[in-house]
Amino acid sequence: MSSVSPIQIPRRLPLLLTNEGVLLPGSTMRTSVDSARNLQLVRSRLLKGTSLQSTILGVIPNTPDPASDAQALPPLHRIGTAALAVQVVGSNWPKPHYTLLITGLCRFQIVQVLKEKPYPVAEVEQLDRLEEFPNTCKTREELGELSEQFYKYAVQLVEMLDMSVPAVAKLRRLLDSLPREALPDILTSIIRTSNKEKLQILDAVSLEERFKMTIPLLVRQIEGLKLLQKTRKHKQDDDKRVIAIRPIRRITHIPGALEDDDEDEDNDDIVMLERKIRTSSMPEQAHKVCVKEIKRLKKMPQSMPEYALTRNYLELMVELPWNKSTTDRLDIRAARILLDNDHYAMEKLKKRVLEYLAVRQLKNNLKGPILCFVGPPGVGKTSVGRSVAKTLGREFHRIALGGVCDQSDIRGHRRTYVGSMPGRIINGLKTVGVNNPVFLLDEVDKLGKSLQGDPAAALLEVLDPEQNHNFTDHYLNVAFDLSQVLFIATANTTATIPPALLDRMEIIQVPGYTQEEKIEIAHRHLIPKQLEQHGLTPQQIQIPQVTTLDIITRYTREAGVRSLDRKFGAICRAVAVKVAEGQHKEAKLDHSDVAEGEGCREHILEEAKPESISDTPDLALPPEMPILIDFHALKDILGPPMYEMEVSERLSQPGVAIGLAWTPLGGEIMFVEASRMDGEGQLTLTGQLGDVMKESAHLAISWLRSNAKKYHLTNASGSFDLLDNTDIHLHFPAGAVTKDGPSAGVTIVTCLASLFSGRLVRSDVAMTGEITLRGLVLPVGGIKDKVLAAHRAGLKRVIIPQRNEKDLEEIPGNVRQDLSFVTASCLDEVLNAAFDGGFTVNTRPGLLNSK
Ligand code: ADP
């Protein structure tokens, strides 16, 4: 290329008003577009335009406040750069904007603004790179000396840079191949210049002037680089990694150089960091690493990605609580009172926690097992963890492990990764700011596993008192002492906790609550807490116990109290609206015909009336009465009841029995349904069953077939071979939930016995137990949760394996009173208890038709 290629720009150009930088011909820049005018321009010219011409814009620099959407056009800079839009990238975050990549073509001058809306368009006159321009030899001769001088400086500058960098080598080649006239613009945009200087160069329409103005800029840059190289030599630093075109930050006082506030700030930051490292009480090893890193940081140009990385690292190191801790105040009596005040029931858990704390008080050493609370959601596991922290006067931090499947989540990423971070343990320590917090490792049973390593293995190191005094996070790369941290874990089930982890922990089961316990918890804790959160007082809202019972039985079905708590939240919100509107008086009187909870309502009205009136004697408003939440109000607020007692309805046909299942969410009752049809003796099982459950079904059928004669069980054609010409279908409703385990054995037998005998199973009986081929009933787990579920569902009789009798001790007295328990060691006993009048050998199939 020997001359500037002539360019012809359109005479009318849409104007892009910018304030960020100055685009010079021959250079490229990115600019962000977010003002209404510019957005319009981009949309209608660049996104909708089809010709190459429509991608040429007039870029007007230095527009005061281009984002201002005022009616009038702001004063425009006289000279602009015609530019080609090479790329448009749009984004909606944080607000709608486009980023344009534009390349400068040539200067132009505004002759006249033709229209202002929706974006300005002007008639323009092209100022350089015209066709006649390169041919003016006279200009060349005149400028010869000047351009020669300029070229020499440019070459000197480029040769001072590191030629091994490809971009620098390319620049060197460009110096020779580009026409001299284009060099001032291009070099100005490359070297370090302020916007003001660039604007001056843009305004220098005459080439001579442009050369004259750029030479001092080049000289300044060369001086800067020389000084830099001298200082480098001085330090004997042969690290040639990056020599940026821009002079390195520290040399701010080159004569004529621009002051830069940012850099000063950065310098200050580094000095601050250094001071913090010096004064921090980190262990020697960590201190050494920090000193080394800060030395590296000082040498690094700020533009290097590693700069930010190192700085973040050092900031984390100085922030970590290496030696900061809170003093434990351990008073067992106070702890007991606090635990009792915060939590109702859960005696076993509270007892074990107190024991743990007592041992800590006597022996100031944490080398004990890690406590792990296992139970359904919403039974207060997290909340007890928080109370433990409170009793000890320690900071509390919860680390949610659900779904964590990468070990770097626990142990951090190595710093070589882009975006590397410390793991959750170190992050937690930084958040709490002390080295002896209570860490609640929530949901350890939901740890995942993936190609990125096993997070459970990383947790092992964290939890092992023998190892955790020098836990090394990959990001930190120096050991941190975790031995002062008190870890408490929670889980819904122990089945999915990795065995090695389970081995390090002491499991404390937290079973679900009975209805009575839930009512107490609601009235002692949940309701007062919700009232406070919603700014309500007991003078404004009353929730009687019958209503709470209604919510528990008809609107929630859970082992814990979490959705119960949410329902109270919903009620409080609804009442808050009424109270705020001051309209509740009539609404309450409307409900005087309510049938449910009658007695209780009267009782509360009597109590509340005098109190609320006397409480507000001097208010200008009439004395208020509390809004009473009765069943009607409940229906209004929460909608129709979600759960109805459907037990008796579903047991109106032979071939249905109720089993008791244990799930991580607590106990549940489970209907087992069976039907038979003509066929070839096949058994169909549906309802997402696991292998163990399928085997139980086969066992049950085999046992019934071998005992068919004894019980007079026949198939439809009266044969004792139950599968002769008969297919059986067994279904476990709630078909979407996977079910497994052996404890449904007795239920399947009962259900099939009912099907083949044609007799109804008692509608108030539920059962659980594993079976053997010989008809024995084996013990199963989760008895307390299962019994509570039966009680919740309003059943009266529960059949459990004899060897589970000891588990009944855990069941609260009131539940035991409401239920009658049958302990069975063989299937005969189960069947006798499950059918009215027993299921004796004498039972005749004739009963089938009578139903
Ligand atoms: P989990 O961690 O077991 O899922 P949470 O600790 O989050 O359950 O408990 C849910 C809510 O129920 C919390 O607001 C907690 O205070 C409350 N809660 C649970 N059990 C009790 C209890 N026995 N006494 C008082 N409040 C309780």
Side-chain angles (χ1 to χ4, degrees):
M1 210 200 294
S2 62
S3 67
V4 181
S5 45
I7 286 172
Q8 189 72 51
I9 60 166
R11 284 198 63 79
R12 293 171 57 137
L13 277 186
L15 301 182
L16 183 78
L17 312 184
T18 67
N19 195 20
E20 275 174 11
V22 181
L23 178 73
L24 290 170
S27 64
T28 298
M29 81 171 191
R30 271 180 208 284
T31 180
S32 175
V33 162
D34 54 10
S35 72
R37 281 192 194 94
N38 289 347
L39 286 176
Q40 268 299 336
L41 185 152
V42 172
R43 279 185 204 127
S44 48
R45 295 285 297 209
L46 301 184
L47 301 184
K48 291 206 190 115
T50 48
S51 64
L52 181 63
Q53 267 214 351
S54 68
T55 61
I56 299 182
L57 315 170
V59 181
I60 301 293
N62 204 27
T63 316
D65 196 11
S68 151
D69 294 332
Q71 293 288 318
L73 209 56
L76 300 180
H77 193 77
R78 195 174 48 91
I79 294 178
T81 312
L84 195 66
V86 184
Q87 188 188 50
V88 186
V89 181
S91 162
N92 259 334
W93 200 87
K95 55 180 184 177
H97 71 275
Y98 294 104
T99 305
L100 301 187
L101 183 67
I102 45 181
T103 296
L105 300 172
C106 63
R107 285 177 179 72
F108 70 83
Q109 172 179 324
I110 299 177
V111 178
Q112 187 191 0
V113 176
L114 298 174
K115 76 171 191 181
E116 293 191 3
K117 276 180 162 180
Y119 53 86
V121 176
E123 182 185 336
V124 301
E125 180 191 354
Q126 185 169 350
L127 294 179
D128 55 15
R129 306 222 186 169
L130 293 165
E131 240 165 297
E132 63 270 30
F133 174 70
N135 303 334
T136 46
C137 307
K138 192 173 126 246
T139 331
R140 276 207 152 186
E141 276 160 26
E142 271 175 17
L143 287 178
E145 206 177 315
L146 213 53
S147 86
E148 204 52 43
Q149 199 184 359
F150 180 91
Y151 174 76
K152 262 195 340 220
Y153 280 125
V155 172
Q156 187 184 352
L157 174 66
V158 175
E159 282 179 350
M160 286 173 83
L161 303 179
D162 184 354
M163 280 300 201
S164 63
V165 178
V168 177
K170 188 172 173 198
L171 183 62
R172 177 69 191 85
R173 285 197 299 278
L174 275 181
L175 282 186
D176 289 333
S177 59
L178 277 178
R180 299 279 160 88
E181 297 84 9
L183 288 183
D185 283 340
I186 293 176
L187 275 158
T188 309
S189 55
I190 293 175
I191 62 173
R192 184 172 192 130
T193 44
S194 66
N195 274 351
K196 203 165 140 206
E197 287 163 324
K198 283 195 190 123
L199 210 59
Q200 280 168 357
I201 305 291
L202 179 73
D203 286 351
V205 178
S206 115
L207 198 54
E208 182 182 357
E209 200 185 336
R210 222 180 297 160
F211 272 128
K212 278 186 184 156
M213 283 170 80
T214 2
I215 289 174
L217 300 180
L218 280 186
V219 173
R220 183 181 77 195
Q221 184 83 42
I222 291 170
E223 292 300 319
L225 277 177
K226 273 187 190 160
L227 207 67
L228 173 74
Q229 283 175 353
K230 234 190 258 168
T231 35
R232 285 222 159 167
K233 248 182 228 142
H234 226 63
K235 283 187 183 171
Q236 301 225 313
D237 181 8
D238 57 355
D239 178 6
K240 271 194 193 167
R241 264 178 305 176
V242 171
I243 301 177
I245 281 182
R246 299 172 175 212
I248 284 198
R249 316 167 274 115
R250 251 157 292 286
I251 312 158
T252 41
H253 295 292
I254 312 161
L258 292 171
E259 294 293 331
D260 196 325
D261 288 348
D262 275 4
E263 282 171 8
D264 284 351
E265 265 172 33
D266 276 338
N267 271 340
D268 286 353
D269 278 359
I270 290 185
V271 173
M272 286 271 280
L273 254 179
E274 213 172 358
R275 195 176 312 143
K276 278 190 201 157
I277 292 172
R278 235 181 294 128
T279 52
S280 92
S281 51
M282 56 179 90
E284 194 172 333
Q285 192 199 359
H287 191 264
K288 258 191 211 155
V289 173
C290 282
V291 169
K292 204 172 104 201
E293 290 292 322
I294 198 129
K295 267 189 195 152
R296 262 165 40 96
L297 187 72
K298 281 189 194 160
K299 286 181 212 150
M300 250 182 242
Q302 191 188 344
S303 51
M304 247 173 109
E306 218 183 322
Y307 179 85
L309 214 81
T310 312
R311 196 170 136 171
N312 288 348
Y313 173 75
L314 285 171
E315 271 167 9
L316 173 72
M317 289 290 271
V318 296
E319 266 179 55
L320 279 181
W322 297 97
N323 250 326
K324 241 168 75 190
S325 52
T326 47
T327 357
D328 279 1
R329 48 181 158 78
L330 232 178
D331 176 352
I332 287 299
R333 252 174 308 160
R336 185 194 298 274
I337 293 170
L338 203 136
L339 274 176
D340 278 341
N341 282 351
D342 282 0
H343 300 95
Y344 178 79
M346 40 169 59
E347 301 307 334
K348 202 167 136 195
L349 175 64
K350 285 193 285 197
K351 184 163 152 256
R352 181 62 189 99
V353 167
L354 281 176
E355 285 168 9
Y356 184 79
L357 295 178
V359 175
R360 296 263 352 263
Q361 189 178 358
L362 297 179
K363 184 164 175 273
N364 198 11
N365 179 355
L366 264 179
K367 280 192 183 168
I370 311 287
L371 293 184
C372 178
F373 305 153
V374 178
V379 292
K381 302 182 296 292
T382 315
S383 162
V384 169
R386 197 169 271 128
S387 289
V388 169
K390 209 156 84 178
T391 49
L392 288 172
R394 289 191 176 206
E395 294 289 331
F396 176 82
H397 184 74
R398 175 173 165 268
I399 299 178
L401 295 175
V404 167
C405 60
D406 181 351
Q407 70 153 325
S408 13
D409 257 339
I410 310 286
R411 213 183 260 155
H413 295 268
R414 291 199 188 283
R415 266 198 301 144
T416 41
Y417 282 108
V418 178
S420 54
M421 300 184 284
R424 293 185 188 211
I425 305 287
I426 292 296
N427 242 334
L429 286 167
K430 182 183 142 198
T431 314
V432 294
V434 287
N435 66 4
N436 63 342
V438 172
F439 270 170
L440 187 92
L441 304 172
D442 219 357
E443 311 200 321
V444 274
D445 55 331
K446 304 208 176 48
L447 279 175
K449 227 185 213 182
S450 72
L451 289 179
Q452 276 77 35
D454 182 359
L459 259 192
L460 271 185
E461 190 187 330
V462 172
L463 295 181
D464 191 343
E466 301 300 329
Q467 292 183 38
N468 71 5
H469 57 268
N470 58 3
F471 166 73
T472 307
D473 183 281
H474 285 158
Y475 179 83
L476 230 50
N477 213 14
V478 284
F480 193 99
D481 182 2
L482 295 181
S483 60
Q484 295 306 310
V485 181
L486 197 157
F487 290 101
I488 296 177
T490 78
N492 292 142
T493 163
T494 50
T496 48
I497 303 180
L501 207 54
L502 200 60
D503 195 39
R504 302 271 191 300
M505 301 193 287
E506 174 176 340
I507 303 296
I508 304 178
Q509 294 284 354
V510 195
Y513 296 119
T514 61
Q515 278 174 6
E516 288 68 26
E517 282 171 341
K518 284 190 191 175
I519 293 179
E520 285 300 324
I521 293 172
H523 286 263
R524 287 171 195 231
H525 299 283
L526 306 182
I527 298 180
K529 234 188 295 174
Q530 288 289 351
L531 292 194
E532 195 194 320
Q533 276 174 16
H534 289 84
L536 293 170
T537 62
Q539 278 76 47
Q540 290 164 323
I541 170 174
Q542 287 274 355
I543 305 180
Q545 297 208 340
V546 267
T547 307
T548 311
L549 186 64
D550 264 338
I551 305 177
I552 294 170
T553 51
R554 299 195 187 189
Y555 289 89
T556 64
R557 186 164 277 182
E558 56 173 356
V561 291
R562 193 166 291 151
S563 23
L564 182 63
D565 196 27
R566 272 201 293 269
K567 299 288 175 209
F568 286 127
I571 293 172
C572 287
R573 282 196 298 278
V575 171
V577 174
K578 291 248 171 179
V579 170
E581 283 176 347
Q583 283 179 347
H584 66 279
K585 273 184 80 182
E586 301 87 287
K588 191 184 66 56
L589 291 174
D590 284 351
H591 286 155
S592 50
D593 55 339
V594 178
E596 278 100 328
E598 193 87 46
C600 188
R601 200 188 68 238
E602 278 168 20
H603 169 72
I604 278 177
L605 281 181
E606 272 164 26
E607 265 185 8
K609 244 187 246 170
E611 185 191 329
S612 55
I613 291 171
S614 64
D615 264 5
T616 51
D618 48 9
L619 285 183
L621 290 166
E624 289 184 358
M625 295 232 277
I627 294 182
L628 181 76
I629 305 297
D630 52 23
F631 185 64
H632 281 245
L634 260 194
K635 245 171 135 179
D636 248 10
I637 299 170
L638 302 177
M642 288 177 215
Y643 305 102
E644 289 292 351
M645 292 296 164
E646 51 183 350
V647 174
S648 46
E649 267 167 49
R650 297 189 61 168
L651 287 174
S652 58
Q653 281 179 17
V656 187
I658 306 173
L660 292 172
W662 182 89
T663 73
L665 309 185
E668 269 185 42
I669 64 164
M670 177 177 65
F671 291 90
V672 180
E673 295 174 351
S675 70
R676 61 177 170 182
M677 57 225 89
D678 289 346
E680 290 152 12
Q682 278 182 353
L683 172 65
T684 313
L685 295 167
T686 51
Q688 293 255 17
L689 309 184
D691 287 342
V692 179
M693 203 118 161
K694 284 181 190 157
E695 283 172 8
S696 294
H698 285 288
L699 270 179
I701 295 213
S702 301
W703 184 80
L704 281 171
R705 283 175 75 186
S706 60
N707 288 283
K709 274 208 184 110
K710 178 175 162 194
Y711 289 110
H712 277 283
L713 301 177
T714 54
N715 67 4
S717 53
S719 152
F720 285 126
D721 185 358
L722 300 180
L723 288 182
D724 186 26
N725 291 328
T726 309
D727 275 355
I728 298 176
H729 187 156
L730 263 175
H731 179 63
F732 295 73
V737 186
T738 314
K739 310 167 194 75
D740 202 8
S743 69
V746 292
T747 323
I748 303 174
V749 170
T750 310
C751 167
L752 290 173
S754 158
L755 180 74
F756 287 112
S757 68
R759 297 185 57 192
L760 290 180
V761 179
R762 280 176 60 144
S763 63
D764 60 351
V765 61
M767 60 202 82
T768 181
E770 181 176 351
I771 53 170
T772 69
L773 205 48
R774 304 243 144 248
L776 297 181
V777 178
L778 301 183
V780 292
I783 290 290
K784 180 174 180 190
D785 279 320
K786 288 175 176 175
V787 170
L788 292 185
H791 186 244
R792 267 204 299 277
L795 300 173
K796 292 281 173 273
R797 178 181 284 189
V798 178
I799 306 173
I800 58 167
Q802 186 150 40
R803 277 160 63 190
N804 277 116
E805 198 171 354
K806 59 181 187 329
D807 295 311
L808 293 180
E809 276 169 31
E810 282 181 32
I811 298 187
N814 62 325
V815 176
R816 253 190 293 176
Q817 269 172 14
D818 288 354
L819 297 173
S820 73
F821 293 95
V822 176
T823 54
S825 57
C826 64
L827 280 170
D828 291 342
E829 290 168 17
V830 172
L831 292 177
N832 275 333
F835 291 89
D836 265 332
F839 196 76
T840 51
V841 190
N842 301 329
T843 311
R844 254 166 291 124
L847 278 170
L848 173 69
N849 299 331
S850 66
K851 278 284 157 190

